[in-house]
Amino acid sequence: MKNNSTFKSAVSNLSFPESEKILGKSIHDPILGLIIEDYPSFNDEDCIAVKELNLYRQKYISRYLSTEIGTLSDLEQSVINSLKEDKSIVSIVEDEGEIRSFGQKIADKVADFGGSWTFIISFLLFIVVWISANVYILVNKGFDPYPFILLNLILSCIAALQAPVIMMSQNRQEEKDRNRAKKDYMINLKSELEIRMIHDKIDHLIMHQQQELIEIQKVQIEMMNDILNQIKK
């Protein structure tokens, strides 16, 4: 003869067969937490039906999947934000304007002109014209006859003034190279830190998923056992 005794569910206050009775202390914490969210007075001594427990099991699995999708979206958004931050740093580094004094501007212009073919060709033409004018036109009786002492003086003065000006420009170029190396180091360092942060997030996500999957497997096994018990009865 079948047992027709029933019990009242602490969740819905409905009567169910005694064979579907599940005590609160036998329910795992994740599922029990969902029940307590809806019914704060539910405790370990209260009872719930298998059908109702299966609904909360399904709710737990659905919430887990929704949470994981949201976690993945947050991770993708974090990566996008990191990329944006890197881009902003690069743009800040590139947009930093260099303030030059009047003397530095002149030194740069002199260095640029002194190291160009325009200067070399112009200076050669100047020397040719100077020598030709004194030798052929003025027949070595002009303002600078052979051996062109005045021309040598002019060349010496130009060389004496041009050398330190070019050195000033080279020193500024070395300083610019050092600043550029510092900026490259800053960008590379931040990129490394961002990669490490992403790796930590992925590791944390994998560990969290493993724990949650174990809980889901336990819930699925419980559901299968309940189904088998119902079939046997």
Side-chain angles (χ1 to χ4, degrees):
M1 184 176 180
K2 293 184 178 180
N3 186 7
N4 294 325
S5 61
T6 61
F7 75 98
K8 183 174 288 188
S9 171
V11 172
S12 62
N13 289 326
L14 299 176
S15 297
F16 293 92
E18 190 71 22
S19 59
E20 295 187 10
K21 182 179 180 179
I22 303 293
L23 289 175
K25 60 183 178 181
S26 63
I27 303 174
H28 287 293
D29 289 337
I31 311 299
L32 182 61
L34 292 178
I35 297 173
I36 294 175
E37 285 182 6
D38 295 336
Y39 302 94
S41 61
F42 189 86
N43 55 48
D44 293 343
E45 301 300 326
D46 290 332
C47 301
I48 189 173
V50 174
K51 294 179 180 179
E52 295 173 331
L53 181 60
N54 286 336
L55 292 176
Y56 278 99
R57 287 168 175 169
Q58 294 174 4
K59 181 179 179 181
Y60 167 71
I61 295 174
S62 299
R63 179 177 292 187
Y64 166 74
L65 294 176
S66 299
T67 303
E68 287 304 308
I69 293 173
T71 303
L72 290 174
S73 299
D74 293 340
L75 182 62
E76 292 174 356
Q77 188 63 38
S78 177
V79 174
I80 293 172
N81 291 335
S82 299
L83 293 176
K84 287 182 179 179
E85 290 175 4
D86 284 341
K87 184 178 179 181
S88 64
I89 287 180
V90 173
S91 62
I92 290 173
V93 169
E94 291 180 348
D95 292 340
E96 286 182 352
E98 183 184 9
I99 300 175
R100 297 184 300 173
S101 64
F102 180 73
Q104 291 174 338
K105 292 180 180 179
I106 293 178
D108 290 340
K109 290 184 180 297
V110 170
D112 291 338
F113 180 71
S116 63
W117 281 106
T118 303
F119 171 77
I120 295 174
I121 295 173
S122 301
F123 204 69
L124 287 176
L125 291 175
F126 170 75
I127 293 174
V128 170
V129 171
W130 183 285
I131 294 174
S132 300
N134 283 278
V135 173
Y136 298 106
I137 298 176
L138 300 178
V139 194
N140 267 337
K141 295 180 181 179
F143 54 89
D144 188 22
Y146 181 85
F148 314 112
I149 297 175
L150 181 59
L151 178 61
N152 289 328
L153 178 62
I154 294 173
L155 294 177
S156 300
C157 292
I158 292 175
L161 293 175
Q162 190 179 25
V165 171
I166 293 175
M167 290 180 64
M168 289 171 56
S169 180
Q170 289 179 345
N171 291 335
R172 288 192 61 257
Q173 186 63 40
E174 290 178 359
E175 184 179 357
K176 289 168 63 177
D177 293 338
R178 286 194 296 269
N179 291 333
R180 188 178 294 109
K182 290 180 181 178
K183 294 172 183 178
D184 292 340
Y185 171 76
M186 291 170 57
I187 295 172
N188 293 333
L189 179 61
K190 189 173 190 304
S191 299
E192 181 181 356
L193 295 176
E194 289 292 338
I195 292 172
R196 288 184 180 179
M197 183 181 69
I198 293 172
H199 285 173
D200 291 339
K201 288 182 178 179
I202 293 175
D203 292 339
H204 175 74
L205 180 61
I206 292 173
M207 292 179 63
H208 176 69
Q209 284 180 334
Q210 289 176 345
Q211 294 175 354
E212 293 293 336
L213 288 174
I214 291 172
E215 292 295 333
I216 288 179
Q217 288 177 350
K218 290 180 180 178
V219 172
Q220 291 175 339
I221 291 172
E222 288 178 356
M223 294 176 70
M224 292 177 65
N225 290 332
D226 291 339
I227 293 172
L228 291 175
N229 291 333
Q230 291 294 325
I231 293 173
K232 290 179 181 179
K233 292 179 182 180

